[in-house]
Amino acid sequence: MSEARSGSGTSAPTVLRMILGRRLQERRQGAGVSLDDAARALRVKPLTIRRLEKAEVGLKPLYVEKLLQTYGAEQREIDEFVALAEQANEPGWWHAYRDVLPSWFTAYVSLESGAKTLRTYEPHYVTGLLQTYGYARAVLRGGFPNDGDEDLERRVDGRLRRQSLLERPDAPTLWVVMEEAVLHRVVGGAEVMREQIDRLLELSELDHVSVDVVPFAAGAHVGACAPFTYFRFEEPELPDIVYSEILSASVYLDQRSDVVAHLEAHNRMSLLTSSADSKALLNRMRKEYS
């Protein structure tokens, strides 16, 4: 997964599909079956097997069944795996927004929906999971200036729908580190900013949400670069993943050295402030917008 993702015609893998792909790989390797031998069993190229294992294509139930038979799996395991493969091929809720979501961002929404822990760093804007309607609309209007009102509203609706994961009984832990500059960037006007800061203060009171604001006084620091999100999953098959974004594409990193570097940067930045200082700064900025 350690590669740039620009717009493409492939569908984004769901977390379940990624898990099953890893399990297929482990099952093949445990059975001592090579990529070439697995490919011959399906009469396909070895690249097809590799793409199945990396969740780059959908898991065809017939392929899954034949592969597991080749690997010596019992019928009960095969039946359970095929049922999960059919479930993994079902489109996520975000599929309905594929006309307004960049193709490289749909993978992010899938990872976000399946993560147990999310850590984000934002130097420019409030992270999407914490945005109010007015703030989200202003940000997306600026990012997609050629959108008509209908497309803009669909983008906003899709962003707000993502936020429902914070209300789930099994909601992930969200730890946001943002720059003070985010609060000084007037998005949508004073009233929108005041509502947005109220929202940040409200959500920061939740046990599973932390909002840290790095003050200007902190000066230069290790993370003063592009925004990024770190994902950790409960399932042992999935590695930690880091997402970062540029203007027209994104990159997903799962190499340990890359992930650790971003995790350490997030830890270091969080030490530049405290929960009490962050809340005091949020309250002070709210007064400025009153």
Side-chain angles (χ1 to χ4, degrees), residues 199-207 209-211 279 282:
R199 178 70 170 158
L200 292 174
L201 288 166
E202 174 190 354
L203 291 174
S204 67
E205 295 297 323
L206 298 176
D207 291 339
V209 177
S210 297
V211 179
K279 288 180 180 178
L282 286 167

Side-chain angles (χ1 to χ4, degrees), residues 126 130 178-180 182-183 193-194 196-205 210-213 273-290:
V126 172
L130 303 184
M178 68 175 69
E179 298 286 351
E180 181 180 344
V182 172
L183 304 178
M193 290 300 297
R194 188 169 61 251
Q196 180 60 73
I197 292 174
D198 283 342
R199 178 70 170 158
L200 292 174
L201 288 166
E202 174 190 354
L203 291 174
S204 67
E205 295 297 323
S210 297
V211 179
D212 289 340
V213 183
T273 185
S274 68
S275 176
D277 288 343
S278 295
K279 288 180 180 178
L281 180 53
L282 286 167
N283 278 304
R284 186 166 71 249
M285 290 302 302
R286 188 194 184 285
K287 291 180 181 177
E288 291 196 16
Y289 289 116
S290 296

Side-chain angles (χ1 to χ4, degrees), residues 24 41-42 52 59-75 77-83 85-86:
L24 271 180
L42 294 185
L52 284 169
L59 295 168
K60 295 182 180 179
L62 289 177
Y63 279 11
V64 169
E65 183 174 13
K66 182 63 176 178
L67 286 174
L68 289 176
Q69 289 172 348
T70 302
Y71 305 157
E74 297 181 355
Q75 190 59 46
E77 179 186 355
I78 294 173
D79 291 342
E80 291 176 351
F81 207 111
V82 168
E86 291 174 342

Side-chain angles (χ1 to χ4, degrees), residues 108-120 129-130 162-176 203 206-210 229-235:
Y108 179 98
V109 181
S110 175
L111 295 174
E112 183 180 73
S113 298
K116 186 64 176 177
T117 300
L118 295 159
R119 291 192 183 196
T120 72
L129 285 178
L130 303 184
R162 286 167 46 205
Q163 299 176 3
S164 63
L165 71 86
L166 295 178
E167 302 171 1
R168 295 184 332 208
D170 61 341
T173 298
L174 174 64
W175 186 356
V176 176
L203 291 174
L206 298 176
D207 291 339
H208 60 289
V209 177
S210 297
T229 300
Y230 160 91
F231 302 95
R232 172 164 287 179
F233 303 90
E234 193 169 22
E235 297 81 1

